[in-house]
Amino acid sequence: MTKKRALVTGVTGQDGNHLASLLQDEGYEVYGLIRGQNNPKRAEFEARHPHVRLVEGDLTDPAALIRAVDLSDPDELYNLGAVSHVGYSFKNPSLTESVTGKGVLNVLEAVRVTGRSERTRVYQASTSEMFGGLDYNRPGAGYDEDSLFHPRSPYGVAKLYGHWISRNYRESYGMFVSCGILFNHEGEFRGPEFVTRKITQAVARIARGMQEYVVLGDLWPKRDWGYAGDYVRGMWKMLQHDRPDDFVLATGETHSIEEFLSLAFRTVGIDDWTPYVKQDAAFMRPAEVDILLGNPAKAEEQLGWVREVSFEKLVELMVRHDLDALAGLESAR
Ligand code: NAP
Ligand code: F7E
């Protein structure tokens, strides 16, 4: 039997790393889009995923995307590439619009103009940041697929464009395009610029006596945090479903950054984290998303999606991973 073929944009990111492994395990021939003429993540990625064929291309370059689609001839295309950091998007709004917003259009057009509208199923990485978490727009049972959107950052606005252009291509051209509205998901591949990894790396270093404190922004915002490994399985399930649709993936629990800090420090035996945390306005945003809480009922019922890793396990997994990484560095010296 011929293998299914998948193309993943953003393959060098957190979700790309998890998804590349999942697709390999499912027997796919996997292609990954990699940007830049000398991407610093390339060597590490190739060592971890020797089976993935990397194709050079940038989401802002329509011709590069057409070439990548032609070369990989995918049954499934997962569009994970994006400027994904909310704080960075305030400082680079135009870049964010080009990559995170218009990049989606470029991907959809590459599929369409190469005559693959009927063949290639597309996953679009939409986000809970599209909801905004404002008082007037805060459903008690959690945001679902029908909740109102009110994005609060250039990132959220660009993602909302990507979400709607995906729905538009589904409706206009009958393309199989599914949007996963994913709430925050974290893990061992999370970039150090995001708050969870910044905390767990700092906790590991503080526990080893290599760092005195960590400097953060606001500590009161609440997030619905899950494990990335669980969420990429949900993405894959969306493209195996009998029709294209939108699905929320979330845990249905919300926790503040203070709660994350408390659990992370407790993992290394520190009960009072307050002496180890300082705050700086540099890490605060011009507009904040106060609280995110998702309702994954539709994905659970229609896709049979289940989350395996709890919030408590997630925090422990990340801290232990970062402690092990430090121990590995120390023994290599
Ligand atoms: P990530 O770790 O930040 O990865 C982003 C990926 O996009 C990286 O591979 C990056 O390449 C690539 N990229 C950036 N600019 C590009 C460009 N101009 N052309 C081509 N590729 C480019 O993000 P993630 O956490 O894996 O998230 C995956 C997707 O899900 C993103 O679209 C994100 O916005 C969305 N999302 C994430 C979450 C979450 O909690 N993680 C929740 C909802 C939605 P480099 O490695 O070269 O930088
Ligand atoms: O911030 C606060 C910050 O950057 C979480 C992306 O994957 O999930 C992610 O977006 C919270 C915010 O993630 C620091 O203000 C405090 O309230 O880890 P984050 P995010 O903004 O929720 C969504 C669903 C996505 O789609 C995005 O792509 O933590 N915070 N102090 C901090 N945040 C950071 N990064 N650094 C701090 O020092």
Side-chain angles (χ1 to χ4, degrees), residues 47-190:
R48 196 181 291 130
H49 303 285
H51 56 278
V52 174
R53 298 180 197 198
L54 291 174
V55 185
E56 277 148 19
D58 196 290
L59 284 166
T60 58
D61 189 329
L65 294 173
I66 289 173
R67 187 177 146 272
V69 167
D70 256 338
L71 202 111
S72 56
D73 188 23
D75 297 285
E76 294 169 19
L77 193 162
Y78 295 83
N79 185 34
L80 309 184
V83 169
S84 78
H85 192 273
V86 173
Y88 185 82
S89 83
F90 280 102
K91 293 168 189 152
N92 300 270
S94 186
L95 173 72
T96 306
E97 185 263 339
S98 303
V99 179
T100 306
K102 196 166 168 226
V104 185
L105 175 66
N106 293 340
V107 166
L108 294 168
E109 273 295 283
V111 172
R112 196 180 72 84
V113 303
T114 58
R116 291 177 171 84
S117 303
E118 288 181 21
R119 161 165 162 62
T120 303
R121 294 183 170 201
V122 180
Y123 172 85
Q124 169 54 23
S126 292
T127 168
S128 52
E129 282 291 308
M130 300 186 310
F131 296 124
L134 290 168
D135 265 339
Y136 87 95
N137 187 22
R138 199 181 280 179
Y143 294 103
D144 64 21
E145 295 76 7
D146 299 319
S147 298
L148 277 180
F149 295 125
H150 185 143
R152 299 264 293 159
S153 63
Y155 168 74
V157 174
K159 278 286 181 186
L160 193 51
Y161 171 79
H163 185 71
W164 278 107
I165 199 69
S166 297
R167 292 183 67 150
N168 179 255
Y169 271 51
R170 190 197 297 163
E171 292 166 11
S172 306
Y173 303 114
M175 283 171 62
F176 193 117
V177 187
S178 285
C179 300
I181 307 176
L182 270 52
F183 284 67
N184 298 54
H185 44 280
E186 321 289 317
E188 64 273 36
F189 297 124
R190 191 52 144 158

Side-chain angles (χ1 to χ4, degrees), residues 11 16-18 20-21 44-53 189:
V11 78
N17 270 282
H18 283 284
S21 300
E44 198 185 339
F45 182 86
E46 283 179 330
R48 196 181 291 130
H49 303 285
H51 56 278
V52 174
R53 298 180 197 198
F189 297 124

